[in-house]
Amino acid sequence: MDRDQRAGGPGSTDRWWDSYAARASGMVASEVRALFAVASRPEIVSLAGGMPAVDALPLEAVASTVADLVRSRGPVALQYGSAQGDPELRARICDVMGMEGITDARPDDVVVTVGSQQALDLLTRVFIDPGDVVLTEGPTYVTAINTFAAYQARVVHVPMDGDGLVPDALRETLTRLASAGARVKMLYTVPTFQNPAGITLTAPRRAEVLETCRRAGVLVVEDNPYGLLSFTGAPVRAMRADAPDDVVYLGSFSKTLAPGLRVGWALAPQPVAARLVLAAESAILSHSMFTQLAVERYLATQPWPEQIKTFREMYRDRRDAMLETLADTMPAGTTWTRPEGGFFVWLTLPDGVDAKAMLPRAIAARVAYVPGTGFYADGSGRDAMRLSYCYPPPERIQDGVKRLAEVLRAEIGLRRAFAGDPATDPSSQ
Ligand code: PMP
């Protein structure tokens, strides 16, 4: 199906295509989701999805927490709740954020959401009019791009280097957009163990980015689902810790507990939090009390910090397996990032190799990745891919990377042959 048909253009089999709101045309499936069905076939090593390794959770402990909850607080857990979320859970969330240096958060300023994804959706709904600009890192989290597109925002990327978002580039972009009369509403950033690049914004740059946005009147949205998954031990200090009035912080239990519970949150300045609650009310009436209280009870009764430590060590081993195999197998001209936490490595291919064009050959060789283009709103990223090491065990990661290196070598050979490169042209030897 081409984009026109999917979006309801002429030729669509959807009898309602003429009735959809204009914003519906911005709603497209993410490249990651499109890959999901193929990549989840058992013979394929998937370095594509970003699924947490929930099999490392103590399922017995989860089961007994849930059973206790139903027995002791069943009528509350099974009842409607408020759109802002359960107060006890919000208090615990404030303690969790304390681990990242946020010591002044009040439960009143926290809004519990259906994963942090819903917090992003509500925030976009509250702040963005069609045509408003959202700045993001380039590359950035694919579903954030889709959320912004669904509200008809214009996404403008600001480049990163190994130290994260480049402050000079941010200033230049703001100046350029201001002189073009654009309304820049927010900077959406994943400053810690970024999805997809695995890069962390350095402390001096955090201060610079905050100051630049403050001066420009641009809200900073700090999306931080991976912050506690640091391989060096100490969690990275959140940007919100140093700028309570300028930052909306998005957090999640998806990577440190379980994504199936769908419990995330926003911490926002009070007036913003109040609007998010109104937006949540119209979206979902009330969040699931059941999963909120399950999380609250789990944090209260189980050794959750130990669980995070287990996750950290497991993901660090997987990261190591990936980095070591990349170093052993990748052809010259390939480069990659070295994440200090989180789930992802960003791989840049040798000159002229197109990650999207190569994907069918990788799938045929039983390895999957996400082409870099999925993480840009403007078609950039053809020469790059995201590799995730979160889900497969280390031996599978090693196999997958080896297969990928073989596919890449073949691709380079093919390109040289087509370009008549004397290095591979048999007639020249
Ligand atoms: N932000 C980023 C950067 C993510 O990687 C993800 C999950 N892949 C989310 C938000 C959404 O997480 P949640 O499960 O909390 O909705």
Side-chain angles (χ1 to χ4, degrees), residues 168-225:
D168 282 344
L170 175 63
R171 282 187 286 270
E172 280 158 25
T173 306
L174 282 167
T175 307
R176 178 167 53 79
L177 288 166
S179 60
R183 294 213 319 163
V184 182
K185 288 284 183 69
M186 59 168 89
L187 167 70
Y188 167 79
T189 175
V190 187
T192 308
F193 317 135
Q194 201 233 16
N195 179 2
I199 289 170
T200 296
L201 188 65
T202 60
R205 282 201 183 175
R206 285 176 188 236
E208 230 180 313
V209 167
L210 284 170
E211 178 57 20
T212 302
C213 287
R214 201 184 56 73
R215 282 217 200 115
V218 170
L219 177 74
V220 174
V221 179
E222 177 181 28
D223 188 8
N224 195 27

Side-chain angles (χ1 to χ4, degrees), residues 50 114-118 120 141 143 188 190 194-195 223-226 251-255 259 262-264 344 386:
V114 183
S116 57
Q117 186 63 43
Q118 195 205 12
L120 187 62
Y141 172 47
T143 316
Y188 167 79
V190 187
Q194 201 233 16
N195 179 2
D223 188 8
N224 195 27
Y226 305 100
S252 175
F253 289 108
S254 288
K255 325 291 163 162
R262 308 306 299 129
V263 178
F344 306 109
R386 187 190 75 178

Side-chain angles (χ1 to χ4, degrees), residues 116-138:
S116 57
Q117 186 63 43
Q118 195 205 12
L120 187 62
D121 185 272
L122 298 177
L123 203 58
T124 311
R125 190 186 321 182
V126 162
F127 275 90
I128 298 297
D129 287 315
D132 286 347
V133 172
V134 176
L135 300 177
T136 76
E137 283 125 359

